[in-house]
Amino acid sequence: MTGEDKTKKNEDETMRRIEEAIGLQHAGDTEAARQRFAAVREEIADAGDPFHRCVLALYMTDLQEDPRDELT
């Protein structure tokens, strides 16, 4: 497996984990979704794939209880 193949596999794994958290969010388990999103965010930090970071930020923002917090 080449370095590029490993990167793609890791990226797919990251998106799979984000999608699992989205599923929890849509099922109403917001606390579990928050925890999963936070774990992924900590893992990818600022060096992660920009697409993953954007998707993650979007869904993490949707979990804010106060709509004003979504804007900060």
Side-chain angles (χ1 to χ4, degrees):
M1 183 177 277
T2 67
E4 184 176 326
D5 290 337
K6 288 178 184 177
T7 299
K8 284 188 177 262
K9 184 177 179 184
N10 289 341
E11 288 177 2
D12 292 345
E13 178 66 20
T14 299
M15 196 63 216
R16 184 191 63 74
R17 292 179 61 219
I18 292 170
E19 290 168 349
E20 285 177 356
I22 292 169
L24 290 169
Q25 179 181 6
H26 289 173
D29 193 350
T30 56
E31 187 54 38
R34 278 189 192 101
Q35 291 173 1
R36 296 266 181 104
F37 285 138
V40 173
R41 175 150 187 354
E42 187 168 318
E43 219 174 83
I44 65 174
D46 293 334
D49 180 287
F51 174 75
H52 292 152
R53 291 174 33 218
C54 287
V55 171
L56 189 60
L58 172 71
Y59 282 95
M60 287 181 84
T61 298
D62 284 344
L63 286 173
Q64 297 299 314
E65 292 182 17
D66 185 338
R68 293 174 290 197
D69 290 338
E70 291 186 30
L71 303 173
T72 59

PDB file of all heavy atoms in Angstrom, residues 14-38:
ATOM      1  N   THR A  14     -12.010   8.882   8.404  1.00  0.00           N
ATOM      2  CA  THR A  14     -12.423  10.132   9.042  1.00  0.00           C
ATOM      3  C   THR A  14     -13.851  10.489   8.632  1.00  0.00           C
ATOM      4  O   THR A  14     -14.681  10.818   9.478  1.00  0.00           O
ATOM      5  CB  THR A  14     -11.462  11.278   8.671  1.00  0.00           C
ATOM      6  OG1 THR A  14     -10.152  10.934   9.130  1.00  0.00           O
ATOM      7  CG2 THR A  14     -11.892  12.589   9.294  1.00  0.00           C
ATOM      8  N   MET A  15     -14.150  10.385   7.349  1.00  0.00           N
ATOM      9  CA  MET A  15     -15.497  10.720   6.884  1.00  0.00           C
ATOM     10  C   MET A  15     -16.517   9.740   7.437  1.00  0.00           C
ATOM     11  O   MET A  15     -17.618  10.134   7.810  1.00  0.00           O
ATOM     12  CB  MET A  15     -15.524  10.732   5.351  1.00  0.00           C
ATOM     13  CG  MET A  15     -16.724  11.429   4.792  1.00  0.00           C
ATOM     14  SD  MET A  15     -16.731  13.171   5.261  1.00  0.00           S
ATOM     15  CE  MET A  15     -18.474  13.400   5.473  1.00  0.00           C
ATOM     16  N   ARG A  16     -16.136   8.478   7.547  1.00  0.00           N
ATOM     17  CA  ARG A  16     -17.051   7.484   8.121  1.00  0.00           C
ATOM     18  C   ARG A  16     -17.398   7.851   9.560  1.00  0.00           C
ATOM     19  O   ARG A  16     -18.558   7.787   9.970  1.00  0.00           O
ATOM     20  CB  ARG A  16     -16.430   6.080   8.062  1.00  0.00           C
ATOM     21  CG  ARG A  16     -17.388   4.982   8.554  1.00  0.00           C
ATOM     22  CD  ARG A  16     -16.685   3.655   8.740  1.00  0.00           C
ATOM     23  NE  ARG A  16     -15.655   3.676   9.762  1.00  0.00           N
ATOM     24  CZ  ARG A  16     -15.885   3.701  11.084  1.00  0.00           C
ATOM     25  NH1 ARG A  16     -17.100   3.735  11.537  1.00  0.00           N
ATOM     26  NH2 ARG A  16     -14.884   3.709  11.942  1.00  0.00           N
ATOM     27  N   ARG A  17     -16.408   8.275  10.314  1.00  0.00           N
ATOM     28  CA  ARG A  17     -16.645   8.655  11.715  1.00  0.00           C
ATOM     29  C   ARG A  17     -17.500   9.911  11.802  1.00  0.00           C
ATOM     30  O   ARG A  17     -18.361  10.019  12.673  1.00  0.00           O
ATOM     31  CB  ARG A  17     -15.303   8.846  12.419  1.00  0.00           C
ATOM     32  CG  ARG A  17     -14.572   7.504  12.571  1.00  0.00           C
ATOM     33  CD  ARG A  17     -13.228   7.622  13.230  1.00  0.00           C
ATOM     34  NE  ARG A  17     -13.365   8.155  14.561  1.00  0.00           N
ATOM     35  CZ  ARG A  17     -12.512   9.041  15.100  1.00  0.00           C
ATOM     36  NH1 ARG A  17     -11.477   9.455  14.411  1.00  0.00           N
ATOM     37  NH2 ARG A  17     -12.704   9.483  16.316  1.00  0.00           N
ATOM     38  N   ILE A  18     -17.280  10.862  10.906  1.00  0.00           N
ATOM     39  CA  ILE A  18     -18.113  12.064  10.874  1.00  0.00           C
ATOM     40  C   ILE A  18     -19.555  11.682  10.555  1.00  0.00           C
ATOM     41  O   ILE A  18     -20.498  12.160  11.197  1.00  0.00           O
ATOM     42  CB  ILE A  18     -17.564  13.094   9.860  1.00  0.00           C
ATOM     43  CG1 ILE A  18     -16.224  13.656  10.348  1.00  0.00           C
ATOM     44  CG2 ILE A  18     -18.578  14.212   9.623  1.00  0.00           C
ATOM     45  CD1 ILE A  18     -15.490  14.498   9.317  1.00  0.00           C
ATOM     46  N   GLU A  19     -19.737  10.794   9.583  1.00  0.00           N
ATOM     47  CA  GLU A  19     -21.083  10.356   9.201  1.00  0.00           C
ATOM     48  C   GLU A  19     -21.780   9.625  10.340  1.00  0.00           C
ATOM     49  O   GLU A  19     -22.991   9.773  10.524  1.00  0.00           O
ATOM     50  CB  GLU A  19     -21.015   9.478   7.959  1.00  0.00           C
ATOM     51  CG  GLU A  19     -20.653  10.267   6.717  1.00  0.00           C
ATOM     52  CD  GLU A  19     -20.299   9.394   5.521  1.00  0.00           C
ATOM     53  OE1 GLU A  19     -20.117   8.164   5.685  1.00  0.00           O
ATOM     54  OE2 GLU A  19     -20.199   9.959   4.419  1.00  0.00           O
ATOM     55  N   GLU A  20     -21.041   8.847  11.107  1.00  0.00           N
ATOM     56  CA  GLU A  20     -21.636   8.179  12.274  1.00  0.00           C
ATOM     57  C   GLU A  20     -22.143   9.205  13.280  1.00  0.00           C
ATOM     58  O   GLU A  20     -23.229   9.053  13.837  1.00  0.00           O
ATOM     59  CB  GLU A  20     -20.623   7.257  12.939  1.00  0.00           C
ATOM     60  CG  GLU A  20     -20.361   5.980  12.195  1.00  0.00           C
ATOM     61  CD  GLU A  20     -19.297   5.128  12.868  1.00  0.00           C
ATOM     62  OE1 GLU A  20     -18.700   5.563  13.875  1.00  0.00           O
ATOM     63  OE2 GLU A  20     -19.061   4.009  12.367  1.00  0.00           O
ATOM     64  N   ALA A  21     -21.358  10.232  13.514  1.00  0.00           N
ATOM     65  CA  ALA A  21     -21.773  11.284  14.444  1.00  0.00           C
ATOM     66  C   ALA A  21     -22.991  12.033  13.902  1.00  0.00           C
ATOM     67  O   ALA A  21     -23.902  12.383  14.669  1.00  0.00           O
ATOM     68  CB  ALA A  21     -20.618  12.247  14.713  1.00  0.00           C
ATOM     69  N   ILE A  22     -23.026  12.269  12.608  1.00  0.00           N
ATOM     70  CA  ILE A  22     -24.188  12.915  11.995  1.00  0.00           C
ATOM     71  C   ILE A  22     -25.427  12.045  12.213  1.00  0.00           C
ATOM     72  O   ILE A  22     -26.507  12.553  12.528  1.00  0.00           O
ATOM     73  CB  ILE A  22     -23.946  13.168  10.487  1.00  0.00           C
ATOM     74  CG1 ILE A  22     -22.867  14.225  10.291  1.00  0.00           C
ATOM     75  CG2 ILE A  22     -25.244  13.588   9.789  1.00  0.00           C
ATOM     76  CD1 ILE A  22     -22.361  14.350   8.863  1.00  0.00           C
ATOM     77  N   GLY A  23     -25.273  10.740  12.068  1.00  0.00           N
ATOM     78  CA  GLY A  23     -26.388   9.821  12.311  1.00  0.00           C
ATOM     79  C   GLY A  23     -26.898   9.924  13.740  1.00  0.00           C
ATOM     80  O   GLY A  23     -28.112   9.923  13.977  1.00  0.00           O
ATOM     81  N   LEU A  24     -25.979  10.012  14.693  1.00  0.00           N
ATOM     82  CA  LEU A  24     -26.384  10.186  16.094  1.00  0.00           C
ATOM     83  C   LEU A  24     -27.136  11.498  16.282  1.00  0.00           C
ATOM     84  O   LEU A  24     -28.160  11.555  16.972  1.00  0.00           O
ATOM     85  CB  LEU A  24     -25.151  10.164  17.005  1.00  0.00           C
ATOM     86  CG  LEU A  24     -24.444   8.827  17.154  1.00  0.00           C
ATOM     87  CD1 LEU A  24     -23.103   9.016  17.852  1.00  0.00           C
ATOM     88  CD2 LEU A  24     -25.328   7.856  17.937  1.00  0.00           C
ATOM     89  N   GLN A  25     -26.629  12.538  15.651  1.00  0.00           N
ATOM     90  CA  GLN A  25     -27.267  13.849  15.744  1.00  0.00           C
ATOM     91  C   GLN A  25     -28.692  13.781  15.186  1.00  0.00           C
ATOM     92  O   GLN A  25     -29.631  14.247  15.818  1.00  0.00           O
ATOM     93  CB  GLN A  25     -26.445  14.878  14.986  1.00  0.00           C
ATOM     94  CG  GLN A  25     -27.019  16.268  14.994  1.00  0.00           C
ATOM     95  CD  GLN A  25     -26.154  17.238  14.206  1.00  0.00           C
ATOM     96  OE1 GLN A  25     -25.190  16.847  13.560  1.00  0.00           O
ATOM     97  NE2 GLN A  25     -26.500  18.492  14.256  1.00  0.00           N
ATOM     98  N   HIS A  26     -28.859  13.181  14.031  1.00  0.00           N
ATOM     99  CA  HIS A  26     -30.181  13.095  13.401  1.00  0.00           C
ATOM    100  C   HIS A  26     -31.127  12.201  14.190  1.00  0.00           C
ATOM    101  O   HIS A  26     -32.345  12.391  14.143  1.00  0.00           O
ATOM    102  CB  HIS A  26     -30.055  12.615  11.964  1.00  0.00           C
ATOM    103  CG  HIS A  26     -29.459  13.650  11.068  1.00  0.00           C
ATOM    104  ND1 HIS A  26     -29.130  13.387   9.769  1.00  0.00           N
ATOM    105  CD2 HIS A  26     -29.121  14.949  11.269  1.00  0.00           C
ATOM    106  CE1 HIS A  26     -28.619  14.473   9.207  1.00  0.00           C
ATOM    107  NE2 HIS A  26     -28.600  15.423  10.114  1.00  0.00           N
ATOM    108  N   ALA A  27     -30.571  11.241  14.933  1.00  0.00           N
ATOM    109  CA  ALA A  27     -31.388  10.362  15.765  1.00  0.00           C
ATOM    110  C   ALA A  27     -31.758  11.017  17.094  1.00  0.00           C
ATOM    111  O   ALA A  27     -32.510  10.456  17.879  1.00  0.00           O
ATOM    112  CB  ALA A  27     -30.655   9.053  16.015  1.00  0.00           C
ATOM    113  N   GLY A  28     -31.216  12.205  17.336  1.00  0.00           N
ATOM    114  CA  GLY A  28     -31.545  12.936  18.562  1.00  0.00           C
ATOM    115  C   GLY A  28     -30.574  12.730  19.703  1.00  0.00           C
ATOM    116  O   GLY A  28     -30.769  13.283  20.783  1.00  0.00           O
ATOM    117  N   ASP A  29     -29.525  11.970  19.513  1.00  0.00           N
ATOM    118  CA  ASP A  29     -28.534  11.735  20.567  1.00  0.00           C
ATOM    119  C   ASP A  29     -27.439  12.792  20.441  1.00  0.00           C
ATOM    120  O   ASP A  29     -26.303  12.505  20.048  1.00  0.00           O
ATOM    121  CB  ASP A  29     -27.967  10.327  20.459  1.00  0.00           C
ATOM    122  CG  ASP A  29     -27.192   9.913  21.690  1.00  0.00           C
ATOM    123  OD1 ASP A  29     -26.931  10.773  22.559  1.00  0.00           O
ATOM    124  OD2 ASP A  29     -26.841   8.715  21.774  1.00  0.00           O
ATOM    125  N   THR A  30     -27.795  14.017  20.794  1.00  0.00           N
ATOM    126  CA  THR A  30     -26.890  15.143  20.561  1.00  0.00           C
ATOM    127  C   THR A  30     -25.626  15.078  21.416  1.00  0.00           C
ATOM    128  O   THR A  30     -24.560  15.476  20.956  1.00  0.00           O
ATOM    129  CB  THR A  30     -27.603  16.486  20.777  1.00  0.00           C
ATOM    130  OG1 THR A  30     -28.170  16.519  22.093  1.00  0.00           O
ATOM    131  CG2 THR A  30     -28.708  16.690  19.756  1.00  0.00           C
ATOM    132  N   GLU A  31     -25.734  14.564  22.628  1.00  0.00           N
ATOM    133  CA  GLU A  31     -24.542  14.507  23.481  1.00  0.00           C
ATOM    134  C   GLU A  31     -23.517  13.528  22.912  1.00  0.00           C
ATOM    135  O   GLU A  31     -22.323  13.827  22.861  1.00  0.00           O
ATOM    136  CB  GLU A  31     -24.910  14.125  24.913  1.00  0.00           C
ATOM    137  CG  GLU A  31     -23.741  14.219  25.878  1.00  0.00           C
ATOM    138  CD  GLU A  31     -23.054  15.590  25.871  1.00  0.00           C
ATOM    139  OE1 GLU A  31     -23.723  16.626  25.756  1.00  0.00           O
ATOM    140  OE2 GLU A  31     -21.806  15.611  25.984  1.00  0.00           O
ATOM    141  N   ALA A  32     -23.974  12.375  22.469  1.00  0.00           N
ATOM    142  CA  ALA A  32     -23.050  11.408  21.866  1.00  0.00           C
ATOM    143  C   ALA A  32     -22.461  11.983  20.576  1.00  0.00           C
ATOM    144  O   ALA A  32     -21.269  11.800  20.301  1.00  0.00           O
ATOM    145  CB  ALA A  32     -23.761  10.088  21.587  1.00  0.00           C
ATOM    146  N   ALA A  33     -23.275  12.688  19.799  1.00  0.00           N
ATOM    147  CA  ALA A  33     -22.783  13.307  18.566  1.00  0.00           C
ATOM    148  C   ALA A  33     -21.715  14.345  18.886  1.00  0.00           C
ATOM    149  O   ALA A  33     -20.669  14.382  18.231  1.00  0.00           O
ATOM    150  CB  ALA A  33     -23.926  13.949  17.791  1.00  0.00           C
ATOM    151  N   ARG A  34     -21.959  15.169  19.900  1.00  0.00           N
ATOM    152  CA  ARG A  34     -20.955  16.171  20.308  1.00  0.00           C
ATOM    153  C   ARG A  34     -19.632  15.508  20.673  1.00  0.00           C
ATOM    154  O   ARG A  34     -18.562  15.973  20.288  1.00  0.00           O
ATOM    155  CB  ARG A  34     -21.457  16.973  21.507  1.00  0.00           C
ATOM    156  CG  ARG A  34     -22.373  18.085  21.179  1.00  0.00           C
ATOM    157  CD  ARG A  34     -22.634  18.942  22.439  1.00  0.00           C
ATOM    158  NE  ARG A  34     -23.719  19.833  22.170  1.00  0.00           N
ATOM    159  CZ  ARG A  34     -24.983  19.647  22.571  1.00  0.00           C
ATOM    160  NH1 ARG A  34     -25.294  18.604  23.308  1.00  0.00           N
ATOM    161  NH2 ARG A  34     -25.915  20.518  22.272  1.00  0.00           N
ATOM    162  N   GLN A  35     -19.723  14.427  21.430  1.00  0.00           N
ATOM    163  CA  GLN A  35     -18.511  13.730  21.859  1.00  0.00           C
ATOM    164  C   GLN A  35     -17.753  13.151  20.670  1.00  0.00           C
ATOM    165  O   GLN A  35     -16.534  13.252  20.596  1.00  0.00           O
ATOM    166  CB  GLN A  35     -18.866  12.630  22.856  1.00  0.00           C
ATOM    167  CG  GLN A  35     -19.336  13.163  24.185  1.00  0.00           C
ATOM    168  CD  GLN A  35     -19.841  12.067  25.107  1.00  0.00           C
ATOM    169  OE1 GLN A  35     -19.836  10.889  24.769  1.00  0.00           O
ATOM    170  NE2 GLN A  35     -20.298  12.460  26.285  1.00  0.00           N
ATOM    171  N   ARG A  36     -18.473  12.558  19.732  1.00  0.00           N
ATOM    172  CA  ARG A  36     -17.824  11.982  18.550  1.00  0.00           C
ATOM    173  C   ARG A  36     -17.192  13.074  17.690  1.00  0.00           C
ATOM    174  O   ARG A  36     -16.075  12.922  17.211  1.00  0.00           O
ATOM    175  CB  ARG A  36     -18.819  11.200  17.700  1.00  0.00           C
ATOM    176  CG  ARG A  36     -19.411  10.002  18.373  1.00  0.00           C
ATOM    177  CD  ARG A  36     -18.625   8.728  18.027  1.00  0.00           C
ATOM    178  NE  ARG A  36     -19.225   7.595  18.675  1.00  0.00           N
ATOM    179  CZ  ARG A  36     -19.975   6.694  18.066  1.00  0.00           C
ATOM    180  NH1 ARG A  36     -20.201   6.772  16.780  1.00  0.00           N
ATOM    181  NH2 ARG A  36     -20.477   5.697  18.746  1.00  0.00           N
ATOM    182  N   PHE A  37     -17.939  14.164  17.474  1.00  0.00           N
ATOM    183  CA  PHE A  37     -17.388  15.268  16.684  1.00  0.00           C
ATOM    184  C   PHE A  37     -16.135  15.824  17.349  1.00  0.00           C
ATOM    185  O   PHE A  37     -15.143  16.102  16.682  1.00  0.00           O
ATOM    186  CB  PHE A  37     -18.418  16.391  16.511  1.00  0.00           C
ATOM    187  CG  PHE A  37     -19.518  16.097  15.533  1.00  0.00           C
ATOM    188  CD1 PHE A  37     -20.820  16.453  15.826  1.00  0.00           C
ATOM    189  CD2 PHE A  37     -19.266  15.489  14.310  1.00  0.00           C
ATOM    190  CE1 PHE A  37     -21.850  16.218  14.925  1.00  0.00           C
ATOM    191  CE2 PHE A  37     -20.284  15.243  13.403  1.00  0.00           C
ATOM    192  CZ  PHE A  37     -21.586  15.608  13.712  1.00  0.00           C
ATOM    193  N   ALA A  38     -16.174  15.982  18.668  1.00  0.00           N
ATOM    194  CA  ALA A  38     -15.021  16.528  19.394  1.00  0.00           C
ATOM    195  C   ALA A  38     -13.810  15.607  19.256  1.00  0.00           C
ATOM    196  O   ALA A  38     -12.677  16.085  19.086  1.00  0.00           O
ATOM    197  CB  ALA A  38     -15.374  16.742  20.860  1.00  0.00           C
TER     198      ALA A  38
END
